[in-house]
Amino acid sequence: MREYAKFYIGGRWVYPVESRTLEIVNPATEGVCGRVAMGSAADVDEAVAAARSAFPAWSATGVKERIELLQNIQEEYGKRSADLAAALTEEMGAPASLAGGFQVGLGAGHLAKAIEVLGDYAFSEQRGATLVVKEPIGVCGLITPWNWPMNQIAVKVFPALATGCTMVLKPSERSPFTGQIFAEILEAAGVPAGVFNLVQGDGPGVGVPLSAHPGVDMISFTGSTRAGVEIARNAAPTVKRVTQELGGKSPNILLDDEDFAGNVAKGVTSMMGNSGQTCSAPSRMLVPRARMAEAAEAAKDAAAKTTVGDPNGDVVIGPVVAKDQFDKIQGLIQQGIDEGATLVAGGTGRPDGLAKGYYVRPTVFADVTGDMTIAREEIFGPVLTILGYDDVDHAIELANDTEYGLAGYVAGADLEQARAVASRIRAGWVAINEAFDFDCPFGGYKKSGNGREWGEFGFHDYLEIKGVLGYAPDVADVPDSA
């Protein structure tokens, strides 16, 4: 049983102002696996005050000092990787291979990339007589989700540190263990007091006061579109910067070529990973209408290979994170059946042999139309919808027929055709043939949010831009007198 009773504020582990805790349920067993302290507005006040106090000194540090700190974090992160992986499996059900692999590995990858980018980053640029300076924005409120905890903490905390900002992190109350271990890593690495602060809690108790706080200069949020809208409303009176990575219903256009069946299988595998709990998951597979039956058969075979079970064992996917998530997914699967989609694999209920735990059957629907609920609503579970298109123009029309625009995918042997299709998808991240790159900017169009994370682009939102006119008066253009 894990017990986390303190927050990390001002370089010290402190008890919350109010004594309140939350029981954390292991989604594989449905049993309580830990308790975490829950914060309030008073804790946010203390954390923000600590961050504001630390900002002048930290923002004045040079690149060399920040790189050294990030390298210290890198060393400590490596020491605690196994602890992070175990916590991920326990708190949100990620299979051990995924937790110790891609889940923890993403955090390490973003840290290495932040160090690399910082080494060459230009914080000032002279343009004629004017100096353009990029300065740290100030105190940042960082609100992260439960589905990829280390990835989302990494893409916020490391750029904030690299650019000279101070911060308050609120991890999701559904995956608080990793956030707590992460704070221990930063403490061990020697992060100066007040530069990084951790307050655990829920949206009403911590997220709202953090978003509305006049001492916070920026909010970076990843989560649902609904919550993102509320955060923007709460932040509006203080006119702070708000960046958001929100929901998605991402299209995966499979081109009509000899790789088709293999690309169907790859699309299923990608969709089912992390139990489908990925905002950028390729949840809408678009296939030539004439090959719908072939796609359905290939998808059925791939779904059958998606093993489900105890995340401590050798399985592809574990449970979804919580009962309410399980119930939502079950309801949407039933709605797909009721609306007339063809159930190819899976369906409602738990997989055979699993009487306990929030396990969902890997589910595939074929013959889905664009007006069906399962084609429009983010399910956030291992549920794939397959839609048919008449030609490439129709595929692109279907791909863009969504209120979201986080990601898109194109699969096909003809690279030139794939590039042409990718250029017409209205989304912030479009991958051709499952390509991956830590340098690629990640973020959404439309209701999928604003701002970008990852690599060099992840630095931008943490910086203010200042123009210093007359910096070089000997070359300044002097306007004619009026």
Side-chain angles (χ1 to χ4, degrees):
M1 176 75 72
R2 297 173 186 263
E3 296 278 355
Y4 293 118
K6 295 181 179 181
F7 304 145
Y8 189 68
I9 298 176
R12 298 183 301 115
W13 290 99
V14 299
Y15 287 105
V17 174
E18 302 173 9
S19 180
R20 190 164 62 96
T21 61
L22 177 70
E23 291 184 338
I24 307 302
V25 174
N26 183 324
T29 66
E30 301 184 40
V32 174
C33 60
R35 293 183 182 84
V36 63
M38 296 289 279
S40 65
D43 301 297
V44 172
D45 286 342
E46 290 188 0
V48 172
R52 292 222 72 84
S53 178
F55 178 71
W58 180 245
S59 63
T61 56
V63 167
K64 182 176 182 292
E65 184 175 346
R66 295 178 200 168
I67 287 178
E68 287 176 352
L69 179 64
L70 290 170
Q71 288 173 333
N72 290 343
I73 295 171
Q74 193 172 41
E75 181 178 354
E76 296 298 330
Y77 190 95
K79 293 177 183 176
R80 301 295 301 275
S81 290
D83 295 336
L84 289 168
L88 281 159
T89 297
E90 193 171 13
E91 68 188 356
M92 53 88 59
S97 59
L98 175 64
F102 209 43
Q103 285 269 10
V104 172
L106 280 170
H110 289 302
L111 176 52
K113 181 56 63 175
I115 293 169
E116 177 188 329
V117 170
L118 181 56
D120 297 321
Y121 197 81
F123 285 94
S124 64
E125 174 189 357
Q126 189 171 331
R127 297 190 176 188
T130 297
L131 184 70
V132 178
V133 182
K134 298 175 183 177
E135 298 181 337
I137 194 169
V139 175
C140 304
L142 312 177
I143 303 176
T144 59
W146 50 263
N147 58 324
W148 289 94
M150 291 318 305
N151 178 75
Q152 293 309 129
I153 289 174
V155 296
K156 299 182 192 303
V157 170
F158 298 142
L161 286 173
T163 53
C165 296
T166 58
M167 68 214 70
V168 179
L169 171 67
K170 188 205 90 66
S172 170
E173 67 274 20
R174 286 184 164 170
S175 56
F177 300 162
T178 42
Q180 205 81 13
I181 295 169
F182 183 81
E184 293 170 359
I185 289 170
L186 266 59
E187 180 189 33
V191 174
V195 170
F196 170 85
N197 303 274
L198 170 79
V199 177
Q200 301 275 15
D202 57 18
V206 175
V208 170
L210 185 61
S211 302
H213 205 291
V216 173
D217 301 293
M218 173 208 178
I219 290 288
S220 178
F221 170 76
T222 299
S224 71
T225 299
R226 177 196 56 77
V229 169
E230 290 306 308
I231 283 172
R233 286 175 176 155
N234 294 328
T238 54
V239 201
K240 59 170 60 73
R241 183 177 299 170
V242 178
T243 64
Q244 301 174 324
E245 192 256 281
L246 307 175
K249 193 68 177 177
S250 302
N252 183 14
I253 299 177
L254 307 192
L255 300 178
D256 190 359
D257 60 28
E258 65 273 15
D259 294 336
F260 180 74
N263 287 331
V264 170
K266 290 177 182 177
V268 172
T269 299
S270 182
M271 178 62 228
M272 299 303 170
N274 204 39
S275 299
Q277 299 170 132
T278 301
C279 49
S280 57
S283 55
R284 290 185 297 139
M285 182 178 288
L286 309 182
V287 305
R289 194 180 304 279
R291 303 185 77 169
M292 176 63 75
E294 181 183 352
E297 190 62 29
K300 179 179 179 180
D301 291 344
K305 296 174 184 175
T306 305
T307 54
V308 188
D310 183 352
N312 292 295
D314 183 17
V315 295
V316 175
I317 63 175
V320 296
V321 72
K323 185 179 186 302
D324 62 339
Q325 185 70 11
F326 175 86
D327 291 341
K328 174 192 173 186
I329 296 165
Q330 296 299 311
L332 285 166
I333 292 173
Q334 185 60 54
Q335 196 159 357
I337 296 169
D338 294 343
E339 291 182 0
T342 301
L343 183 65
V344 171
T348 56
R350 292 181 175 88
D352 293 341
L354 295 171
K356 182 177 288 188
Y358 306 124
Y359 296 100
V360 176
R361 300 170 68 189
T363 297
V364 177
F365 284 103
D367 303 308
V368 177
T369 58
D371 59 343
M372 290 181 180
T373 304
I374 57 172
R376 309 202 70 80
E377 190 168 327
E378 186 176 35
I379 300 173
F380 229 59
V383 181
L384 174 68
T385 60
I386 307 178
L387 295 83
Y389 64 82
D390 299 323
D391 54 29
V392 170
D393 287 339
H394 185 217
I396 293 165
E397 180 185 341
L398 289 171
N400 293 331
D401 182 23
T402 172
E403 64 183 6
Y404 297 112
L406 184 57
Y409 303 83
V410 184
D414 185 336
L415 184 57
E416 287 304 314
Q417 185 185 22
R419 287 171 173 168
V421 171
S423 70
R424 298 172 65 188
I425 296 176
R426 297 283 295 168
W429 164 293
V430 182
I432 296 173
N433 293 326
E434 298 192 312
F436 181 84
D437 184 359
F438 277 111
D439 274 319
C440 183
F442 186 88
Y445 288 20
K446 299 184 279 188
K447 286 189 176 181
S448 288
N450 55 69
R452 292 296 180 267
E453 296 178 324
W454 296 44
E456 176 186 345
F457 293 90
F459 281 36
H460 296 179
D461 289 325
Y462 296 90
L463 295 165
E464 288 282 21
I465 298 177
K466 175 190 289 183
V468 183
L469 292 77
Y471 184 81
D474 55 315
V475 296
D477 288 330
V478 180
D480 294 335
S481 298

